[in-house]
Every structure is written in structure tokens, then in C-alpha cells.
């Protein structure tokens, strides 16, 4: 076996490495930091389970959302520690209180991100906050299968491609498994994030956050031993701004089959960007309102079980979809994508970012110039 799927199609979901009976597939970073499967051909028995399990090689089942909800948790403490309305925390807490286990992305030492298993509320803080980077599944799918076979209730929250990978790995529907996918713009490599951290000369970083839960502001923060070491507004962080501009996602993200109204999980969650002013929760929009799109009856039942803890308002699916581009189409390849990739290998992250910026982006980066630009533009009308 030499290839599982075309490299440009690979999502890095880890389904292939989890299913391999000989554990001869290792996920390795390429020169840009994007991870891809590497097969040890001496160990490989050519069973082709990896190819058969890969969601890029099989037909993925998509379903329309049953309805849509706007949601905010009632507790200010939970809302302020969340980056939207607290949807993920709400569902994590419910499953843990019911005696189940949860799996989500954890921000670990040196700014890297991997999925971890949590079985108690005390550790839940490890999973809070948005992660605007590719989070590594590692052996999570195998652990989930073991939990399910031990009759535990399991909640998995990840990107749509990771949910699809998990479902293909399991090969059947487990009644005690609930899957939630995040509305995803695309994922940069962890290498770019490490490059950004190095720019500040900071060592021992053990936490990275991208959103201020209290204000909802997009802010890049680095922590060491729970102390804030570096804080940059999104516009001043090369990595964060590059993420928001879709400058350096994985190649597959620009042709993402999951960026559509039909979904692959039990519930889709994210920010309710398109929430209209007639909503009773519109007043909370500046601090974050979650959108919930239940796809299955299992998803409806989970939302129903949590309704006493949250402010919940049913809205139309159309409103949710129209307000969020990634529920309709994938992110577009920016014009400066190839330029960034070219300079990255030659001159590193910082120079690649600066040299790849368009004139319009450079103008926007300078507030004084931007004010003049807007004034001139206004005078022409």
C-alpha cells in the first residue's frame, strides 16, 4: 500500500491510522506542517482497511438539519469562559453529569493541540475555547470504540471531517455515541502556530486562546503557568490574521465537501452570525450566541435534555445557513496563497506572511491610511 487517498484530498482525520491492524500508519508533518499518513510498507499486510475507511474514498451520509436554535447558557460564568453562547460546554457537562465521557480538543504544552478524553467535570476547562488550528485526533477513535463497547455514553466534538472519520472507523451506529461537529472555516497547520509563538521569544507557553469569552473579541493570547504573557488583537497577529484571511489552510479545506447545509453529525454548532434583530437573544450577540442545528433525533433529545440550563429559541434553518458562509460553500483559495507557500520555504513564516499580503490588506493593517482611504472613497460617491 503506497497511497490511501490523493494527498490534496486528505483531511488528516486519523481514521486510517486508527483502523490499521498493524499500526503501521504514522501521521507525519510535511515541510509546511500539514500532517499526512506515512505507511511503513514492511509492516503493511495490504488489507486495504485504511483505503476503505478513509471518508475521501467512500460515500459520506449527509442529512438536512431538522430545525435551528439560537442558544445562550443561563450562567454568566459559563458564558464568559466560552467563546460563543456556551453550547459545547453545555453538552459536555450534561454527558459528564450523566456518567458518560467526552472527547474534545485540548490546548497542551507549547501551543500544540490534540484530542483528549475527559471523565470528570474538574478537567472540563481543558476543552473550553475555540481552536483555530488543526487538532490531532491521534488514537482517539480507538479509545472511543473501547468506551462504547464498555457501554459508556460518549460525546465527541470535532470538525465535520473528523466526525466522518470516526463514523467510518466505527462502521456502525452506536446508540450511546453522540457526535457534534463545529462549523469549520478550514485549518492551518500547527507548525504555523508554533512559528508565531517563536516570534515573541516566549518559552514554556502552555495555553493559547483566540477569543475573549467576556467580550467576544478576536484576540491572540499566550499564557505561561496561567499568567498572560502576550496579548495581540487579531489584526496584529500574523497567524490569526492569516487564519481569518484563509491564507494557509490545508489544501482539502478549499474544496471541503462538508461546507454545505446538509451535515454528518447529530448536531452542528457554531456562532449564530446571521441572527436577526427580532430574536430575543439578539441582545447577547456581541458576547456570543450559539447556533444549534440538530440533524438527528438523538441530537434533538440532547438539546431537549439541556433546555433548563440555557436560553433557547427556535429559529429557521434558512436564517442560520444564510448567516454563515461555511454552511454553504468552502473558503476560497486567496490570491496570495501560492506566494505565501513559496516564501515560507525560502524565508520562514514572518517574511512569507508579510510578502504575501495584498495592497488592500496592507492598507487595512494601517489605521491612519485606512481612515484616509475611506475618506477618499466617501468623497467619490
Amino acid at each position: 500500500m503506497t497511497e490511501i487517498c490523493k494527498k490534496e484530498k486528505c483531511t488528516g482525520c486519523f481514521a486510517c491510522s486508527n483502523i490499521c491492524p498493524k499500526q503501521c500508519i504514522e501521521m507525519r508533518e510535511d515541510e509546511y506542517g500539514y500532517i499526512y499518513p506515512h505507511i511503513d510498507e514492511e509492516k503493511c499486510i495490504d488489507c486495504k482497511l485504511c483505503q476503505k475507511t478513509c471518508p475521501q474514498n467512500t460515500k459520506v451520509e449527509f442529512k438536512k438539519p431538522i430545525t435551528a436554535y439560537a442558544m445562550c447558557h443561563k450562567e454568566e460564568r459559563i458564558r464568559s469562559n466560552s467563546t460563543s453562547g456556551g453550547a459545547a460546554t453545555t453538552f459536555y457537562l450534561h454527558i459528564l453529569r450523566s456518567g458518560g465521557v467526552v472527547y474534545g480538543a485540548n490546548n497542551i504544552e507549547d501551543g500544540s493541540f490534540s484530542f483528549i478524553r475527559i471523565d470528570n467535570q474538574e478537567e472540563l476547562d481543558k476543552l473550553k475555547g475555540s481552536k483555530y488550528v488543526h487538532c490531532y485526533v491521534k488514537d482517539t477513535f480507538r479509545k472511543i470504540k473501547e468506551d462504547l463497547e464498555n457501554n459508556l455514553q460518549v460525546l465527541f466534538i470535532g470538525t465535520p471531517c473528523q466526525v466522518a472519520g470516526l463514523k467510518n472507523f466505527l462502521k456502525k451506529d452506536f446508540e450511546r455515541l453522540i457526535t457534534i461537529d463545529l462549523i469549520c472555516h478550514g485549518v492551518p497547520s500547527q507548525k504555523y502556530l508554533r512559528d508565531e509563538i517563536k516570534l515573541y521569544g516566549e518559552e514554556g507557553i502552555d495555553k493559547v486562546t483566540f477569543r475573549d469569552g467576556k467580550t467576544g473579541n478576536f484576540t491572540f493570547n499566550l499564557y505561561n503557568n496561567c499568567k498572560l504573557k502576550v496579548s495581540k488583537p487579531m489584526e496584529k497577529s500574523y497567524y490569526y490574521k492569516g487564519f481569518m484571511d484563509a491564507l494557509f489552510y490545508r489544501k482539502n479545506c478549499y474544496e471541503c465537501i462538508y461546507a454545505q447545509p446538509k451535515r454528518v453529525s447529530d448536531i452542528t454548532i457554531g456562532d449564530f452570525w446571521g441572527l436577526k434583530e427580532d430574536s430575543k437573544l439578539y441582545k447577547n450577540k456581541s458576547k456570543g450566541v450559539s447556533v444549534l442545528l440538530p440533524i438527528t433525533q438523538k441530537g434533538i433529545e440532547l438539546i431537549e435534555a439541556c433546555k433548563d440550563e440555557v436560553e433557547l429559541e427556535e429559529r429557521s434553518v434558512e436564517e442560520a445557513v444564510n448567516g454563515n458562509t461555511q454552511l454553504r460553500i468552502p473558503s476560497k483559495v486567496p490570491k496570495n496563497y501560492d506566494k505565501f507557500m513559496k516564501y515560507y520555504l525560502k524565508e520562514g513564516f514572518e517574511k512569507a506572511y508579510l510578502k504575501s499580503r495584498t495592497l488592500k490588506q496592507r492598507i487595512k493593517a494601517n489605521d491612519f491610511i485606512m481612515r484616509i482611504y475611506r475618506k477618499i472613497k466617501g468623497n467619490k460617491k
Side-chain angles (χ1 to χ4, degrees):
M1 180 71 64
T2 58
E3 184 179 73
I4 297 170
C5 72
K6 296 294 183 183
K7 184 176 180 179
E8 64 271 17
K9 299 290 185 182
C10 176
T11 65
C13 74
F14 281 79
C16 58
S17 63
N18 275 264
I19 200 69
C20 179
K22 293 296 182 180
Q23 297 184 29
C24 66
I25 300 175
E26 180 185 4
M27 302 299 288
R28 294 183 184 176
E29 290 188 356
D30 67 6
E31 64 269 36
Y32 298 99
Y34 304 119
I35 57 167
Y36 295 96
H38 177 83
I39 303 169
D40 184 338
E41 294 189 32
E42 290 186 3
K43 293 181 181 179
C44 178
I45 58 174
D46 202 31
C47 65
K48 294 185 171 55
L49 275 175
C50 53
Q51 285 186 337
K52 295 173 183 176
T53 303
C54 175
Q56 298 300 84
N57 297 332
T58 60
K59 187 177 181 180
V60 177
E61 184 180 12
F62 292 94
K63 295 180 180 179
K64 292 180 180 180
I66 296 170
T67 186
Y69 294 98
M71 191 224 85
C72 287
H73 202 281
K74 290 180 179 178
E75 286 190 34
E76 175 61 29
R77 176 183 59 84
I78 290 179
R79 287 203 309 271
S80 63
N81 288 330
S82 302
T83 48
S84 187
T89 299
T90 300
F91 298 133
Y92 281 140
L93 278 171
H94 176 77
I95 298 300
L96 290 172
R97 288 167 180 165
S98 302
V101 297
V102 302
Y103 288 84
N106 174 40
N107 184 182
I108 59 176
E109 188 177 339
D110 76 13
S112 60
F113 294 81
S114 295
F115 278 75
I116 61 170
R117 177 185 188 273
I118 297 290
D119 61 8
N120 63 84
Q121 296 180 46
E122 288 70 30
E123 293 187 276
L124 192 53
D125 282 348
K126 294 179 180 179
L127 303 183
K128 291 182 178 179
S130 298
K131 284 86 175 178
Y132 298 143
V133 68
H134 191 185
C135 302
Y136 296 168
V137 169
K138 295 189 174 179
D139 62 349
T140 289
F141 295 167
R142 291 201 292 266
K143 291 178 179 177
I144 288 175
K145 186 177 183 180
E146 184 178 344
D147 283 334
L148 291 170
E149 289 175 343
N150 287 329
N151 209 33
L152 286 173
Q153 185 167 29
V154 177
L155 170 63
F156 175 83
I157 300 183
T159 61
C161 56
Q162 290 166 340
V163 170
L166 172 60
K167 287 187 169 186
N168 276 19
F169 168 81
L170 293 173
K171 291 185 168 55
K172 69 174 185 178
D173 183 37
F174 285 83
E175 183 59 33
R176 297 183 70 80
L177 171 67
I178 299 175
T179 58
I180 295 178
D181 76 84
L182 305 159
I183 299 173
C184 179
H185 294 248
V187 290
S189 76
Q190 293 194 21
K191 191 172 188 294
Y192 298 147
L193 182 57
R194 296 195 299 268
D195 290 340
E196 170 90 356
I197 292 172
K198 289 176 184 176
L199 294 177
Y200 307 117
E202 295 292 337
E203 296 183 358
I205 294 300
D206 51 28
K207 184 180 178 182
V208 180
T209 64
F210 297 95
R211 296 272 292 276
D212 186 322
K214 293 182 179 179
T215 65
N217 291 337
F218 293 86
T219 308
F220 182 77
N221 292 328
L222 302 179
Y223 296 84
N224 176 241
N225 294 325
C226 299
K227 293 182 180 179
L228 181 62
K229 304 293 288 184
V230 175
S231 182
K232 296 275 184 180
M234 180 260 290
E235 293 82 2
K236 303 296 182 182
S237 163
Y238 299 153
Y239 176 87
Y240 206 161
K241 193 66 175 67
F243 170 84
M244 297 300 286
D245 291 338
L247 177 59
F248 37 57
Y249 297 160
R250 289 177 68 93
K251 279 196 173 182
N252 63 278
C253 296
Y254 301 110
E255 297 180 359
C256 178
I257 63 173
Y258 306 98
Q260 59 162 300
K262 292 182 179 180
R263 312 302 293 173
V264 296
S265 63
D266 294 303
I267 305 175
T268 292
I269 64 174
D271 291 278
F272 207 137
W273 295 121
L275 190 64
K276 296 179 180 177
E277 293 186 24
D278 67 339
S279 168
K280 66 180 182 181
L281 297 181
Y282 188 82
K283 63 183 183 296
N284 299 322
K285 193 174 179 181
S286 62
K287 293 186 178 181
V289 177
S290 296
V291 63
L292 312 180
L293 293 169
I295 314 301
T296 66
Q297 186 59 35
K298 201 188 297 185
I300 289 284
E301 289 171 2
L302 178 60
I303 294 171
E304 181 71 18
C306 298
K307 68 178 183 179
D308 292 339
E309 302 169 31
V310 301
E311 293 183 73
L312 196 66
E313 180 184 21
E314 188 167 11
R315 307 293 293 181
S316 72
V317 173
E318 182 182 21
E319 180 182 21
V321 171
N322 289 343
N324 199 309
T325 306
Q326 271 61 45
L327 288 175
R328 302 192 305 277
I329 56 173
S331 296
K332 293 182 179 179
V333 180
K335 294 179 180 179
N336 46 348
Y337 176 84
D338 289 335
K339 187 179 287 187
F340 173 85
M341 293 298 168
K342 172 186 173 182
Y343 283 115
Y344 181 78
L345 294 182
K346 290 182 177 180
E347 303 186 51
F349 178 72
E350 182 178 19
K351 288 185 178 179
Y353 174 80
L354 293 172
K355 287 188 175 183
S356 65
R357 302 201 80 188
T358 63
L359 177 60
K360 185 176 181 180
Q361 288 170 338
R362 290 174 183 175
I363 291 174
K364 283 186 175 182
N366 189 304
D367 293 337
F368 176 71
I369 294 176
M370 196 63 197
R371 284 196 295 270
I372 295 175
Y373 170 77
R374 286 171 179 158
K375 187 174 182 180
I376 294 172
K377 191 175 180 182
N379 290 338
K380 287 183 178 179
K381 290 182 178 180

